[in-house]
Amino acid sequence: MSFPTAKKLYAVIDGTWPAAVKLALGPWTVRLDDSNSSRANAATAELPYKADDIGIAEDAMIDGGQRPLFMIREGESDLDDLLAARGYLIKDPVNMYATEVGRIAGAIDVERTLDVWPPLAVQSEIWAAGGIGPGRIAIMDRARHPKSTILGRIADTPAGTGYVAIAADCAMIHALEVADTHRRMGLARDLTRAAANWASAQGASYLTLVTTRENDAANALYASLGMTLVGQYHYRTLPE
């Protein structure tokens, strides 16, 4: 058991948030999905490539009805530069966090959170209000068990939701959403702790997640929980 690295978390993302179609084409892994989720739509370089090979991935994504999108991981500055030269723009720089499950798992008000699978209609409504639609819920359905969702409540009112799944020894939280009217009430912290409790019960060693660098509130929360920033990545996409 070793603390998750950035490389490991790239695989955990794939395992817990799987694309509908995943193709190995030349030096690329190409993901195709109608969810509009970058994590399930981006191509990644898996083998040495030449500049001309970029067209292989571009053509596959266009043929699949997607705008070309590449995930740029740590150590891939050459690919970043090649895509920039082709007119690709940076999209969604992301921070990746990890911690031992036991650092976050602990007692929590049982009235505030509930483990639920499959997700309830009210959870879908909360997600939809936050821009997380049926395509992304289909990703949750597609993922292998163990997985669950966490329903968050304030005064018996559904107020937040999140999805958590396990790959290898890591649980990863996705789609953590708190309704606008219930923010700044500590519910995101409770949802994160509830996810850690669930992960601990399933035997996971680590709790992990990703969030955009511009999400100041989320980054502050995960830092306050003692989570470690283990890496970053961003996307490159062609403008419309």
Side-chain angles (χ1 to χ4, degrees):
M1 183 177 70
S2 59
F3 199 82
T5 62
K7 182 177 180 180
K8 184 172 184 176
L9 290 197
Y10 300 138
V12 173
I13 292 169
D14 263 358
T16 58
W17 197 252
V21 176
K22 190 175 177 182
L23 304 173
L25 298 174
W28 310 104
T29 293
V30 175
R31 297 165 187 81
L32 303 175
D33 197 276
D34 62 3
S35 64
N36 200 34
S37 170
S38 295
R39 299 173 206 173
N41 283 267
T44 49
E46 308 301 340
L47 297 169
Y49 57 86
K50 305 182 296 293
D52 290 346
D53 292 332
I54 291 173
I56 298 172
E58 287 177 330
D59 289 346
M61 287 184 277
I62 291 169
D63 290 346
Q66 294 181 187
R67 186 184 310 163
L69 178 73
F70 290 82
M71 182 179 180
I72 310 299
R73 301 167 297 189
E74 291 186 357
E76 296 182 336
S77 58
D78 289 347
L79 177 59
D80 201 30
D81 292 343
L82 285 171
L83 292 169
R86 294 168 77 101
Y88 280 74
L89 303 179
I90 289 177
K91 177 185 179 184
D92 293 341
V94 167
N95 287 333
M96 297 187 289
Y97 290 94
T99 191
E100 293 179 2
V101 165
R103 292 196 63 182
I104 295 182
I108 192 170
D109 184 346
V110 296
E111 299 298 324
R112 295 267 285 186
T113 64
L114 178 68
D115 299 351
V116 180
W117 189 266
L120 304 175
V122 69
Q123 292 175 274
S124 296
E125 292 170 6
I126 294 169
W127 275 317
I132 300 170
R136 300 189 189 197
I137 294 174
I139 294 174
M140 303 176 202
D141 290 338
R142 184 184 307 131
R144 294 180 180 177
H145 287 281
K147 61 184 177 181
S148 188
T149 66
I150 312 294
L151 171 63
R153 299 176 294 192
I154 293 178
D156 291 329
T157 299
T161 185
Y163 158 78
V164 58
I166 295 175
D169 58 353
C170 293
M172 180 168 277
I173 300 172
H174 300 265
L176 186 68
E177 186 70 27
V178 176
D180 286 344
T181 54
H182 292 94
R183 292 182 178 173
R184 298 180 180 84
M185 297 181 183
L187 189 58
R189 180 179 295 270
D190 286 348
L191 288 167
T192 305
R193 180 160 285 121
N197 289 343
W198 175 86
S200 178
Q202 299 298 318
S205 299
Y206 302 100
L207 183 70
T208 66
L209 52 87
V210 302
T211 188
T212 58
R213 289 182 224 171
E214 67 180 19
N215 190 337
D216 293 336
N219 284 286
L221 169 63
Y222 303 133
S224 74
L225 287 168
M227 301 191 77
T228 300
L229 177 64
V230 297
Q232 298 175 320
Y233 65 87
H234 63 271
Y235 300 96
R236 285 274 184 181
T237 186
L238 281 177
E240 293 186 29

